[in-house]
Amino acid sequence: MPDKPLIVGIGGTIGAVSSTERALRIALDAVEREGFATRLFGGEDMARLPLYDPRATSRTSQEREFVDAVRKASGVIIASPGYHGSLSGVVKNALDLLEETAKDERPYLADMPVGLIATAYGWQATGSTIAALRSIVHALRGWPTPFAAAINTQVTQFDDQGGATDPAVVEQLCLIGRQVARFAPLVERTSS
């Protein structure tokens, strides 16, 4: 039996409780319901990645694991907190590491559907963070899904059971997961 196609989740914050990572998990759960395998690189995983140095001649096991997972992926979901109007440093550092794929047959996020989630304590940073993520995904040759979730954590709280206080937010996150899952089979056709 062939392996299930893989969708990689990238996002979260360094710290004990991350609304961003909880939102990402809801989207990845929707991907799994569509029959895909998932791999989450959360805040703790990204915190283990050293600052990206393009001149480095070797990579840590954590860096190799991350890059290898993205290489195998049929789609990606990126979730970032809005820090000072843009994405967090740990998320950006992880995305910078994808430079390791520059000479691959399928470089960066080429031809992959990429779902986007931004969380912030207020509305202003959610919009600018989504815009920054879209620009980065385009630069990495990926296809941002039509819908992106902007979540104001002043209004919506997440719980330990995989839910949120606003059912509409849960549905938005599930929509992102479903869109990535529905567009992912196109990757298989174009990369063969």
Side-chain angles (χ1 to χ4, degrees):
M1 180 173 174
D3 290 336
K4 292 180 180 180
L6 176 66
I7 305 298
V8 171
I10 304 166
T13 57
I14 299 172
V17 177
S18 169
S19 296
T20 306
E21 201 166 319
R22 287 177 173 179
L24 178 56
R25 184 70 257 167
I26 292 170
L28 289 174
D29 288 346
V31 167
E32 290 173 0
R33 287 191 295 274
E34 296 290 323
F36 288 77
T38 63
R39 171 63 168 94
L40 171 64
F41 289 91
E44 286 186 29
D45 298 303
M46 291 184 297
R48 289 189 206 97
L49 298 174
L51 286 176
Y52 176 66
D53 178 358
R55 297 164 298 162
T57 57
S58 65
R59 296 289 169 203
T60 66
S61 61
Q62 291 88 357
E63 288 174 307
R64 288 190 305 275
E65 180 183 1
F66 174 75
V67 171
D68 288 345
V70 174
R71 280 182 170 131
K72 293 174 188 166
S74 296
V76 173
I77 301 175
I78 304 169
S80 179
Y83 285 176
H84 304 156
S86 192
L87 64 157
S88 72
V90 294
V91 172
K92 181 64 168 75
N93 185 57
L95 296 174
D96 288 346
L97 185 56
L98 296 180
E99 187 61 27
E100 292 296 298
T101 68
K103 294 183 179 160
D104 289 2
E105 186 176 328
R106 183 186 75 179
Y108 310 115
L109 301 175
D111 301 327
M112 275 199 267
V114 182
L116 304 175
I117 300 166
T119 62
Y121 196 70
W123 288 114
Q124 185 170 344
T126 61
S128 56
T129 302
I130 291 289
L133 286 169
R134 282 191 187 279
S135 292
I136 290 167
V137 170
H138 284 162
L140 293 173
R141 305 178 193 175
W143 298 335
T145 57
F147 186 79
I151 302 165
N152 181 345
T153 57
Q154 210 173 14
V155 176
T156 301
Q157 286 79 45
F158 294 90
D159 60 40
D160 293 334
Q161 291 74 42
T165 55
D166 186 346
V169 168
V170 173
E171 180 50 37
Q172 290 171 6
L173 294 168
C174 291
L175 175 59
I176 290 169
R178 288 191 306 270
Q179 285 185 345
V180 170
R182 288 177 184 157
F183 295 132
L186 296 174
V187 174
E188 301 307 312
R189 280 188 234 135
T190 60
S191 63
S192 53

